[in-house]
Amino acid sequence: MPLLILTFNVILMVFFCCACQLVVTPAYNQFVQYGNTGDSLPFLTQFIVDSRYFFLLIPILWVGLSFKIHNIIKKKDIEKQTQILLFCSLVTISIGLVMVSLFALSGILPYLMISAAV
């Protein structure tokens, strides 16, 4: 059962990373790929667009972390396993929602005409 929950957490993180890529793609297409290259993007948008493929490493790192957690908790009693698995699920959902929020914000900022020079 713990391995199933950890596998679900990895799948959930993959879905969050896919959602992140989807919410920033329209801004990338309009302002970077087909837009004017002379226009400056907000700092957050430029950072996310430049490093969006590096964020795909997060699910891969999550797999390694899940295996390490599984090796740690299989020696513990059921109550401790439940607490650790609940914490891991909470961390997965929290990190995923923060990532999606940052990517959505970076995808919206260019449409709001917020300049890069502050």
Side-chain angles (χ1 to χ4, degrees):
M1 189 65 156
L3 188 59
L4 181 66
I5 293 172
L6 290 172
T7 304
F8 176 73
N9 284 340
V10 169
I11 292 170
L12 192 62
M13 188 57 76
V14 168
F15 284 140
F16 276 129
C17 283
C18 289
C20 289
Q21 298 298 319
L22 287 176
V23 298
V24 82
T25 299
Y28 171 75
N29 286 341
Q30 184 169 357
F31 295 105
V32 176
Q33 189 172 8
Y34 302 118
N36 298 335
T37 56
D39 294 338
S40 60
L41 291 173
F43 174 74
L44 181 62
T45 304
Q46 189 65 45
F47 173 73
I48 295 293
V49 165
D50 290 341
S51 62
R52 65 188 174 130
Y53 293 116
F54 291 114
F55 282 99
L56 294 175
L57 292 175
I58 292 175
I60 296 169
L61 295 173
W62 217 252
V63 170
L65 182 67
S66 295
F67 280 124
K68 186 170 267 197
I69 290 172
H70 183 263
N71 288 336
I72 290 171
I73 67 170
K74 69 181 177 182
K75 300 171 189 165
K76 302 207 181 272
D77 59 339
I78 298 295
E79 290 178 12
K80 283 289 188 188
Q81 283 183 2
T82 306
Q83 290 175 352
I84 293 171
L85 290 172
L86 184 62
F87 178 73
C88 289
S89 298
L90 183 65
V91 168
T92 300
I93 292 170
S94 298
I95 290 175
L97 289 176
V98 167
M99 281 183 4
V100 169
S101 299
L102 283 176
F103 271 70
L105 180 64
S106 70
I108 291 171
L109 285 177
Y111 293 107
L112 297 175
M113 311 261 180
I114 298 174
S115 65
V118 176

